[in-house]
Amino acid sequence: MQKKWKPLLLTVLLLLPLLQGCGTAEGGIAVRELNQLNVVMLTGVDYDPKHKKFIITIQSVKPATEKGVAVSPESVYMARATGDTIMEASKNLRAQTSGRLVWFHSKVIVFGETLVKQHVMREVIDFFARNREIRYSSWVLVAKGNAEDIITAKPNSEVMMGYELVGIINNQGEWGRTVIVSLRDLINNYADPYTGFVTGQVKKAKINGKEERIIITNGVVLSALSPRNPIYESTLDKKEMRTLRMFQDFTKQELEFVYSTLLDKKSERKFDTAVQMKVDNRKIKSTIENGRPKITIDLFVEGTILESGAHVDLGKKETVAELEKRIENKVVGDMKKLLVKMQKQQNVDIFGFSPLIHRQHKNYWREHKQHWREIYPNIPVHIKIHWINLRTGMINQAKAGEAR
């Protein structure tokens, strides 16, 4: 009989530390009542250079006490606080709210444009890196203007701006219009003084001259090459953002991009054929020739013709080869333009060349890394596209001269 009680007694002893103080703030597991919480969904950080103050703006929500109840506009709460340091601003923010602020569900962080351009980003990133409540998977955006204006703006279609931004980020990611960096990647990239990185820019824009709406467009190029200088470098438009995705994969699954070209030389249109293209494999390697690095990029791609108004026979190998060549020239041309902008004009490595050389040529990197800013602009990059397949579809194209 005693043997049967031993496992039960052991279980009770193991659970005692958990039961002690349950439901209180002292000892054990402190239970936070739902009506005492403010769940932060969206965080904005600005900086006032005139008064040297940090500004934190949040959008939070009171959790529903019943299961399955949707978030209502009445449960959404805004708060704003300032401080000489980012920590002081966060403490002042907590002092203004009746509920306990929790950041475990915060999914988006917005940095104001002025904040990013000032000399205070290292302090802000350090604050978020040390805060255990903030999720490293949170998306990071840079506002065109003040982050506070984005946080407090009226959502386009959702109940709260936090939901709105997450939805826009997911939709943008599917089409490769921009690149959104996570807080984890932001922390890691900013700690590397030799690389740059890109994240999305959020702003207010009037659609067809009417009501202002929140959109995520372009990409902001950031760099930590010198902590004393602003890390805000420049912006990339949606075409350049699409091109950046050719250099590296930012998502778990390669995206498909649409390129349009003129295939019928007699046509008066600007474009008559659209091809959806996907990178099936990407091989990037570096070599050291005559004491300097060289980068070779091989893209193995496949494509599908989405539409064509060209009066040509797409069943001919010569026509398909010509189409492949035209699309290839477009892609390579765009990639070289972006290289010139980032290498020659901005001198920011957003392509990951420095970690590539570090991995493949450790001795060279150890000896020359201190001169990276002089080396990087002069690295030659050779790009080659290899077509695995180009699907023309099942439609028999009318030949030139045939009646339609």
Side-chain angles (χ1 to χ4, degrees):
M1 197 67 183
Q2 292 180 350
K3 293 183 179 179
K4 293 182 179 180
W5 279 99
K6 285 183 178 179
L8 180 59
L9 180 61
L10 179 61
T11 303
V12 172
L13 290 174
L14 291 173
L15 290 175
L16 277 177
L18 300 179
L19 295 173
Q20 183 181 5
C22 182
T24 69
E26 300 88 10
I29 300 178
V31 177
R32 299 176 181 177
E33 296 294 339
L34 289 178
N35 59 3
Q36 296 177 354
L37 300 181
N38 272 340
V39 181
V40 178
M41 304 299 293
L42 183 60
T43 306
V45 184
D46 288 301
Y47 184 72
D48 180 358
K50 182 179 179 180
H51 300 94
K52 297 183 179 180
K53 297 283 188 179
F54 289 93
I55 305 165
I56 295 183
T57 309
I58 63 164
Q59 183 182 73
S60 64
V61 61
K62 283 282 188 182
T65 56
E66 298 180 11
K67 187 177 180 180
V69 177
V71 175
S72 65
E74 292 76 18
S75 64
V76 179
Y77 174 78
M78 302 281 189
R80 176 187 187 273
T82 63
D84 294 331
T85 65
I86 187 75
M87 175 58 74
E88 183 183 354
S90 69
K91 294 298 184 183
N92 292 339
L93 186 69
R94 292 179 185 274
Q96 295 181 19
T97 57
S98 58
R100 183 180 179 91
L101 294 176
V102 292
W103 263 269
F104 292 120
H105 294 282
S106 179
K107 295 183 179 180
V108 182
I109 300 170
V110 182
F111 291 148
E113 187 175 4
T114 303
L115 170 79
V116 178
K117 290 182 177 180
Q118 293 296 315
H119 304 244
V120 294
M121 274 298 292
R122 182 173 295 276
E123 181 179 348
V124 174
I125 293 174
D126 182 77
F127 167 79
F128 281 105
R130 295 176 187 274
N131 193 320
R132 295 184 178 182
E133 281 197 4
I134 294 179
R135 299 165 56 170
Y136 280 2
S137 59
S138 299
W139 298 113
V140 177
L141 297 168
V142 174
K144 179 68 174 177
N146 294 327
E148 182 179 356
D149 293 338
I150 302 298
I151 307 300
T152 58
K154 179 182 177 182
N156 300 339
S157 57
E158 297 287 349
V159 175
M160 57 190 304
M161 184 56 67
Y163 293 161
E164 187 76 39
L165 290 178
V166 170
I168 296 175
I169 289 171
N170 292 335
N171 290 335
Q172 293 278 26
E174 292 179 2
W175 294 100
R177 291 294 184 91
T178 188
V179 172
I180 314 295
V181 72
S182 68
L183 179 60
R184 179 186 292 105
D185 292 335
L186 174 71
I187 294 169
N188 292 336
N189 288 330
Y190 192 74
D192 187 344
Y194 304 104
T195 63
F197 52 100
V198 178
T199 195
Q201 184 183 66
V202 58
K203 66 179 182 179
K204 291 182 178 180
K206 287 189 176 182
I207 306 300
N208 298 325
K210 298 180 180 179
E211 184 181 2
E212 282 189 335
R213 301 178 71 86
I214 297 298
I215 62 172
I216 298 176
T217 182
N218 301 336
V220 178
V221 180
L222 306 174
S223 172
L225 284 170
S226 175
R228 295 182 179 181
N229 295 327
I231 67 168
Y232 185 101
E233 298 289 349
S234 65
T235 57
L236 304 181
D237 60 29
K238 60 184 180 182
K239 182 179 178 180
E240 292 171 324
M241 295 300 294
R242 178 184 68 176
T243 303
L244 178 60
R245 286 182 177 271
M246 288 293 171
F247 285 93
Q248 52 186 306
D249 181 22
F250 292 90
T251 57
K252 295 180 180 179
Q253 183 178 1
E254 290 282 1
L255 302 178
E256 295 179 328
F257 307 100
V258 177
Y259 284 86
S260 300
T261 187
L262 181 64
L263 191 58
D264 187 352
K265 297 179 181 179
K266 297 181 180 180
S267 175
E268 296 180 357
R269 297 167 56 188
K270 184 177 180 180
F271 304 119
D272 59 23
T273 304
V275 175
Q276 182 172 273
M277 192 175 75
K278 177 182 178 181
V279 178
D280 186 74
N281 192 16
R282 183 186 289 103
K283 293 183 179 180
I284 305 178
K285 63 180 181 179
S286 62
T287 57
I288 306 298
E289 299 180 6
N290 299 321
R292 69 171 185 167
K294 176 183 177 181
I295 305 292
T296 302
I297 302 175
D298 288 289
L299 299 178
F300 298 84
V301 303
E302 55 184 27
T304 302
I305 297 178
L306 296 180
E307 60 176 296
S308 180
H311 293 190
V312 294
D313 187 357
L314 294 175
K316 288 185 177 181
K317 292 183 178 179
E318 296 83 359
T319 306
V320 174
E322 177 65 20
L323 179 57
E324 290 177 345
K325 181 180 178 181
R326 289 177 179 270
I327 297 297
E328 178 181 337
N329 290 339
K330 267 183 167 293
V331 175
V332 174
D334 290 344
M335 293 177 74
K336 288 184 176 180
K337 287 180 181 178
L338 187 57
L339 281 167
V340 170
K341 181 175 181 177
M342 290 293 101
Q343 280 188 288
K344 306 294 184 181
Q345 300 173 8
Q346 299 291 335
N347 194 2
V348 181
D349 178 17
I350 63 173
F351 309 108
F353 291 166
S354 62
L356 177 71
I357 296 172
H358 187 190
R359 290 194 308 268
Q360 297 182 354
H361 309 281
K362 295 186 182 298
N363 291 334
Y364 176 89
W365 179 255
R366 192 179 301 112
E367 295 174 4
H368 297 85
K369 63 180 181 180
Q370 65 271 23
H371 304 296
W372 177 246
R373 294 209 71 172
E374 292 76 36
I375 295 172
Y376 169 69
N378 300 306
I379 296 177
V381 181
H382 178 72
I383 304 169
K384 178 64 178 177
I385 291 182
H386 309 268
W387 287 91
I388 299 174
N389 185 26
L390 177 57
R391 293 175 288 272
T392 58
M394 301 298 293
I395 299 176
N396 292 324
Q397 193 87 9
K399 297 179 181 179
E402 289 185 356
R404 290 202 170 246

